[in-house]
Amino acid sequence: MENSYKTEQEKFWATDFGDKYIERNTYKDLLPAYIYEWSQIISKTNGIKSCIEFGSNIGANLKAIQTLLPNVEISAIEINHCACENYLKKFIKPENIFNQSILDYLSTKKHDLAFVKGVLIHINPDELQNVYEKLYNASNKYILIAEYYNQTPIMIDYRGNKDRLFKRDFAGEILDKYPDLKLIDYGFFYNRDSNFKVDDINWFLMEK
């Protein structure tokens, strides 16, 4: 299966590094901060009944959304088999789990919210336009991008690995690609927040 991946970045997350990432990140560590983050984002939306996450890992974002919107139908695209088998299957319907690369995902239906959080930074830059198209096609209303921001594209070392983390204006690029998208709101979560341990991340909420 490893030979079927189009990019080295996919293999990186599907295999050993992705497994070790799961070990370092738990619901206990992530969920309180994620509920805090999503409470701010969801307050800017209306009528979300379904959502899909591109690159969900163990599903902490989806659990946070489910906490705030108990009746929402959630779906997940996740390349790592361990994350799907040991975590996502415990609270997501099997038919709503896509254990595959985002690059291979073909949208089967529209969702009120399609989002990606801390994942575009790990996608091969040559494939970003492809991912933007998949995000756009998966949404019938809202798109959320929450990533590290940089005005111009740069690559930085990621835990001693090169070409595994890229920063750029992801939201600006998808807004340019799809003129019908409207920027609803944006914000920043700061790692020095006194109440919640969060990552430095910029979020952008768009609506069709």
Side-chain angles (χ1 to χ4, degrees):
M1 185 175 180
E2 293 179 14
N3 294 330
S4 69
Y5 295 125
K6 186 177 181 180
T7 68
E8 286 298 315
Q9 291 79 13
E10 293 167 277
K11 180 179 176 181
F12 186 69
W13 287 100
T15 53
D16 290 346
F17 187 90
D19 293 343
K20 291 175 182 176
Y21 179 89
I22 291 170
E23 295 173 5
R24 293 196 305 270
N25 296 273
T26 66
Y27 293 139
K28 180 181 177 181
D29 293 333
L30 299 175
L31 199 53
Y34 282 16
I35 292 173
Y36 160 72
E37 293 176 348
W38 278 103
S39 66
Q40 296 185 50
I41 295 168
I42 289 174
S43 70
K44 310 297 182 180
T45 68
N46 181 50
I48 292 179
K49 296 181 180 179
S50 63
C51 71
I52 185 167
E53 180 175 14
F54 283 59
S56 59
N57 199 251
I58 64 173
N61 285 297
L62 293 170
K63 270 190 170 291
I65 292 172
Q66 204 172 49
T67 300
L68 296 163
L69 300 173
N71 295 321
V72 72
E73 181 181 5
I74 56 177
S75 300
I77 309 164
E78 174 51 44
I79 197 171
N80 187 275
H81 183 72
C82 177
C84 291
E85 289 296 317
N86 299 333
Y87 294 89
L88 300 182
K89 283 189 175 181
K90 293 182 178 180
F91 71 102
I92 302 176
K93 297 176 183 177
E95 62 268 27
N96 289 349
I97 300 172
F98 303 90
N99 184 193
Q100 63 185 127
S101 169
I102 291 171
L103 305 187
D104 296 328
Y105 174 73
L106 296 176
S107 179
T108 56
K109 64 179 181 179
K110 301 284 188 181
H111 306 263
D112 296 328
L113 169 66
F115 75 93
V116 60
K117 186 168 177 275
V119 171
L120 292 178
I121 56 173
H122 300 302
I123 298 289
N124 187 301
D126 292 339
E127 296 296 330
L128 284 175
Q129 294 299 319
N130 178 24
V131 178
Y132 294 156
E133 183 177 359
K134 292 176 185 294
L135 269 169
Y136 181 85
N137 289 336
S139 168
N140 61 21
K141 191 170 186 180
Y142 296 110
I143 294 174
L144 177 89
I145 288 177
E147 304 284 344
Y148 296 153
Y149 172 85
N150 205 68
Q151 192 171 27
T152 56
I154 60 169
M155 184 276 292
I156 62 176
D157 284 357
Y158 180 57
R159 292 182 173 265
N161 298 281
K162 292 187 179 299
D163 294 322
R164 297 296 181 269
L165 197 158
F166 309 91
K167 298 168 65 174
R168 60 201 296 148
D169 183 5
F170 301 101
E173 290 176 358
I174 196 171
L175 285 167
D176 288 342
K177 185 177 179 69
Y178 298 104
D180 63 319
L181 287 180
K182 178 182 178 182
L183 182 63
I184 300 300
D185 206 351
Y186 59 94
F188 177 67
F189 298 123
Y190 187 39
N191 77 88
R192 294 196 183 192
D193 185 282
S194 58
N195 293 312
F196 299 100
K197 182 181 179 181
V198 298
D199 204 0
D200 288 332
I201 196 167
N202 292 87
W203 60 268
F204 303 86
L205 180 66
M206 293 157 274
E207 185 176 8
K208 283 187 171 183

